[in-house]
Amino acid sequence: MTDDQRITHGVELETLEAFADHAAEHPEEVQLGLGASATYEGTCAHSLARIDSYELGGETIARETREYTVPYGGWREVLEAGGWVGATDRIEPIEAALSALAACINVGISINAVAHGVDIDHLQTRVWSDFDPAVLFSLADLNDADAVFENVTAEIEIEGENLDEDLIDEWARRAPVYTLVSLGQDVEMTINTPAQVAGDD
């Protein structure tokens, strides 16, 4: 490391500034294509999710070191009450989404703090929501889906010098997962089933 390198919170500032300038001039080169898959494991609510390759500027990037798997399921007490045999705790997808939101809010705040020269001594975000499972279990109509989550709250605990609460709020709202869950998203569903075999006439 040379004396003129400026590194803060693990980021070399000149490189970050150059990246931001390049992204502003060539936005097509920094567009990301992201995805994941989940395979049902034969027990209700159990899936093994997989995250691997992604696209950067139209180029697919894949390597073994970023092949992640996550076993999803539910809450042991809830599953036992519902009749699951040998129920165990697993990460529940809603909680995973909430943890992703919390982590991404930290991303939005920390990246912008570094870029604007704001030092952070401590940052922790807690996200919470109340969840009504009636739609999931077909106890309520699908049209009632907008009532499944009555609220989503995010509590940001942050320490540092010269912190501006309005600026922190703006940086938090720049988090991509915040955008994903707070704005209306169109999810295009494609259902693939085995091809129908025409019967003999």
Side-chain angles (χ1 to χ4, degrees):
M1 181 175 81
T2 61
D3 292 338
D4 60 350
Q5 280 184 313
R6 296 176 299 143
I7 298 177
T8 182
H9 290 274
V11 177
E12 204 287 304
L13 296 181
E14 287 183 11
T15 304
L16 177 61
E17 291 165 4
F19 176 83
D21 290 342
H22 181 80
E25 292 177 17
H26 308 281
E28 71 285 352
E29 294 182 10
V30 295
Q31 300 303 304
L32 293 161
L34 308 174
S37 64
T39 303
Y40 176 58
E41 295 181 296
T43 296
C44 282
H46 284 200
S47 288
L48 184 65
R50 179 175 174 167
I51 301 166
D52 46 33
S53 65
Y54 70 101
E55 291 185 3
L56 174 60
E59 176 187 349
T60 299
I61 297 176
R63 57 181 169 272
E64 290 183 3
T65 53
R66 72 173 327 274
E67 291 179 358
Y68 308 113
T69 56
V70 182
Y72 283 116
W75 313 274
R76 181 173 54 102
E77 293 79 5
V78 174
L79 298 180
E80 285 177 345
W84 271 252
V85 177
T88 59
D89 276 314
R90 281 189 169 194
I91 297 173
E92 203 286 326
I94 299 168
E95 294 168 322
L98 294 175
S99 72
L101 175 58
C104 201
I105 286 173
N106 287 354
V107 168
I109 293 171
S110 62
I111 286 178
N112 283 282
V114 167
H116 290 85
V118 176
D119 198 20
I120 295 173
D121 298 323
H122 169 77
L123 173 61
Q124 182 178 51
T125 299
R126 183 174 190 270
V127 175
W128 178 265
S129 182
D130 294 318
F131 167 58
D132 181 349
V135 171
L136 171 64
F137 288 101
S138 295
L139 303 175
D141 192 77
L142 189 56
N143 293 333
D144 297 326
D146 59 353
V148 168
F149 295 99
E150 292 188 8
N151 54 50
V152 177
T153 61
E155 180 180 335
I156 300 167
E157 185 178 292
I158 186 168
E159 296 174 13
E161 293 185 11
N162 303 316
L163 296 176
D164 181 324
E165 288 187 16
D166 290 336
L167 206 51
I168 300 301
D169 181 78
E170 176 190 324
W171 294 344
R173 294 174 191 275
R174 291 183 180 276
V177 177
Y178 176 88
T179 302
L180 183 67
V181 301
S182 66
L183 301 180
Q185 302 291 329
D186 291 327
V187 179
E188 183 179 327
M189 292 276 197
T190 301
I191 311 298
N192 296 316
T193 58
Q196 296 292 329
V197 178
D200 293 335
D201 290 336

